Amino acid sequence: MAFFGRKNSAQVATADREIDPALAALTGEYTIDPAHSTISFTVRHAMVTNVRGTFVEHEGSLTLDGTNPAASSAAIDVSISSVDTGMADRDGHLRSADFFDAETFPKMSFRSTSAEHVGADTYRVTGDLTIKDVTRPLTIDLEFNGSATDVYGNERVGFEGSADILRSDWGLTWNAALETGGVLVSDKVKLSFDISAIKKAPEAV
């Protein structure tokens, strides 16, 4: 199934008969379910190991268009103060002005600007990532995990993917030199997204 794709001229000419009815049925507005979604990061620490963390509080929406997948879009807002690496002192440092400065810049956001189907159930979504009032482009490779109706009757879709960024591009430059060479925190950070979204009920006319 392809949500985020572009049709070539031959596909456009036969679009009406090529549309997958199951895919078209998923067209609509979706709300990201924070209880069943994870937005996380991985960063190298002291040159020898990885530290992993999550942003516990986040919200967002998806617009899926099964008949015109390129018209699909995504929006996500993350509460910086909800960062959790499993160590209170480290989380406090991340919230401080050395890193995210959560008091001054409480949110991180992503707004998609384009999308493309790159093969099978893999998609590439490009958009604007804003951290500390710095906005730069970000491309995320996503896998569509499928759709299902849960035990409460909610229609769900799932996506997962990741992207590598340089934190210095967003002004996150704090570091400390190691006696053995290198630095305490790597510039490269892997962002990971595991998204479950619930379809909104159509509004009454």
Side-chain angles (χ1 to χ4, degrees):
M1 292 186 178
F3 278 116
F4 302 105
R6 295 194 177 105
K7 301 183 179 73
N8 60 34
S9 57
Q11 288 174 314
V12 171
T14 58
D16 288 343
R17 62 184 176 85
E18 289 187 356
I19 292 172
D20 183 341
L23 179 65
L26 298 178
T27 294
E29 302 290 328
Y30 290 75
T31 300
I32 293 175
D33 177 8
H36 296 94
S37 301
T38 304
I39 298 175
S40 60
F41 61 89
T42 305
V43 62
R44 182 76 72 179
H45 178 264
M47 310 293 292
V48 298
T49 190
N50 290 320
V51 168
R52 295 174 174 83
T54 61
F55 294 98
V56 178
E57 298 177 12
H58 53 83
E59 60 183 12
S61 61
L62 306 176
T63 298
L64 303 182
D65 190 331
T67 61
N68 180 22
S72 300
S73 62
I76 300 173
D77 291 310
V78 173
S79 171
I80 293 297
S81 64
S82 72
V83 65
D84 183 0
T85 65
M87 182 179 291
D89 287 347
R90 182 167 55 210
D91 295 344
H93 193 195
L94 289 172
R95 296 183 188 106
S96 76
D98 281 346
F99 284 96
F100 288 111
D101 195 359
E103 185 173 345
T104 305
F105 306 102
K107 289 192 179 296
M108 174 174 65
S109 65
F110 176 79
R111 297 290 184 273
S112 67
T113 55
S114 66
E116 60 180 323
H117 180 214
V118 295
D121 284 334
T122 304
Y123 310 91
R124 186 160 293 149
V125 179
T126 298
D128 294 325
L129 176 66
T130 300
I131 306 173
K132 296 181 69 172
D133 276 0
V134 176
T135 300
R136 296 181 63 89
L138 175 68
T139 297
I140 307 169
D141 286 339
L142 292 170
E143 181 179 354
F144 175 53
N145 287 337
S147 62
T149 300
D150 66 22
V151 295
Y152 303 104
N154 298 312
E155 295 182 56
R156 289 182 179 267
V157 294
F159 295 88
E160 64 177 314
S162 62
D164 291 333
I165 68 169
L166 298 179
R167 61 189 178 90
S168 59
D169 287 343
W170 281 267
L172 300 171
T173 57
W174 184 91
N175 227 321
L178 301 176
E179 291 183 4
T180 53
V183 292
L184 184 64
V185 185
S186 68
D187 192 20
K188 181 180 176 181
V189 179
K190 181 178 182 179
L191 299 176
S192 299
F193 305 84
D194 196 344
I195 301 299
S196 177
I198 299 172
K199 191 174 187 180
K200 296 181 181 178
E203 295 184 3
V205 178

